[in-house]
Amino acid sequence: FLGTYSNIASATRWMDILNILIIGIILIIGINHLILYFFRKQDRSNLYFGIICLVMILRNISSGDRLITYLFPNINWELLVKLDNFSGFGTIPLFALYFYMLFKEDFPKTLRNVYLYLGITITAIVFVTPAIFYGKLRTIFELYILFGGLYLTFGILLISTIRKRAYALPSFMAMFILYATAINDVLSSMGIIQTAYIAPYGLVGFMLIQSITINKKSASAINDNELLSIQLTQEKENLEHKIEERTREL
């Protein structure tokens, strides 16, 4: 962008404020779900979603205007680029683990492992090798993100929605919004289309929808347990009452 310093600084300042607000929202959501997992370890979807939130925060502070440089102005460039790439490439295996926990009926375990091992391999290459090396493989990594995310959206979540799985529709909508806004920003940055950058809004939309979905799922599980407990208590009371009546008859 070309312009006066004051105009460009003003635009950047508002983007930084928006980014900080988004980071705050995601941080609260992430901590909330990590706490839920701490108190109920049977549901690992809370753990995976909480980790996704933390990785998304890392993505927000290490890319774009790179807010992390405000806190650490002398941060090593190589480390900064590694954090940026890790937070991008490392999201797909986390999404795979998260959606596998929600929709095991439609998500083959073998496919989940493919997502996981490819993601681990890519992130290991990013951390172990210098940027001059893995930068040459960036196109391959980005194709992994593109097609991996699209398959999660339309090959898993859409199929689960068509099969009317519980909570599939909001999950599909959330993932669709996230990817649609991300693709919009990529195309805009390449000059193919002329639109505003809206991926931050898509990210917040995804996080809020998924957070509501997980909380609803947890609340339903608690309600089912309470209902089952009430039914067992009633059956126990009825059984005791029948035993007392039988004893009196004898």
Side-chain angles (χ1 to χ4, degrees), residues 6 48 55 92 116-117 119 130 140 143 148 175 184:
S6 58
Y48 295 140
V55 173
I92 293 299
L116 183 60
Y117 295 141
I140 299 175
L143 289 174
M175 197 67 173
N184 170 84

Side-chain angles (χ1 to χ4, degrees), residues 4 16 22 58 80 108 146 159-160 176 196-197 202-203 209 216 245 247 250:
T4 63
D16 289 344
I22 291 172
L58 181 61
L80 180 60
L146 175 62
I159 297 299
S160 296
F176 181 82
Y197 291 102
L203 178 59
I209 293 174
K216 185 178 179 181
E245 289 183 347
T247 304
L250 295 174

Side-chain angles (χ1 to χ4, degrees), residues 221-234:
I222 293 172
N223 291 334
D224 290 342
N225 288 335
E226 289 179 349
L227 180 61
L228 180 60
S229 177
I230 293 172
Q231 291 174 345
L232 290 174
T233 302
Q234 291 175 344

Side-chain angles (χ1 to χ4, degrees), residues 132-196:
I132 194 172
F133 174 79
Y134 67 78
K136 298 175 182 178
L137 305 174
R138 186 177 180 86
T139 301
I140 299 175
F141 298 164
E142 288 176 346
L143 289 174
Y144 164 72
I145 293 178
L146 175 62
F147 291 107
L150 288 176
Y151 187 80
L152 283 176
T153 305
F154 296 100
I156 303 296
L157 298 180
L158 180 58
I159 297 299
S160 296
T161 301
I162 293 173
R163 293 175 179 173
K164 297 182 179 180
R165 308 294 189 192
Y167 315 109
L169 178 58
S171 295
F172 169 71
M173 292 174 58
M175 197 67 173
F176 181 82
I177 291 172
L178 178 63
Y179 254 75
T181 55
I183 291 173
N184 170 84
D185 284 14
V186 171
L187 295 177
S188 180
S189 66
M190 295 172 66
I192 298 176
I193 59 175
Q194 298 296 323
T195 57

Side-chain angles (χ1 to χ4, degrees), residues 19 22-31 50-63 67-68 87 91 203 207:
N19 209 2
I22 291 172
I23 289 171
I25 293 171
I26 298 174
L27 180 62
I28 293 171
I29 293 174
I31 291 175
I51 295 174
I52 288 173
C53 290
L54 298 181
V55 173
M56 287 297 184
I57 291 174
L58 181 61
R59 178 70 177 170
N60 273 25
I61 65 175
S62 62
S63 61
L67 296 179
I68 193 173
S87 59
T91 53
L203 178 59
M207 291 298 178

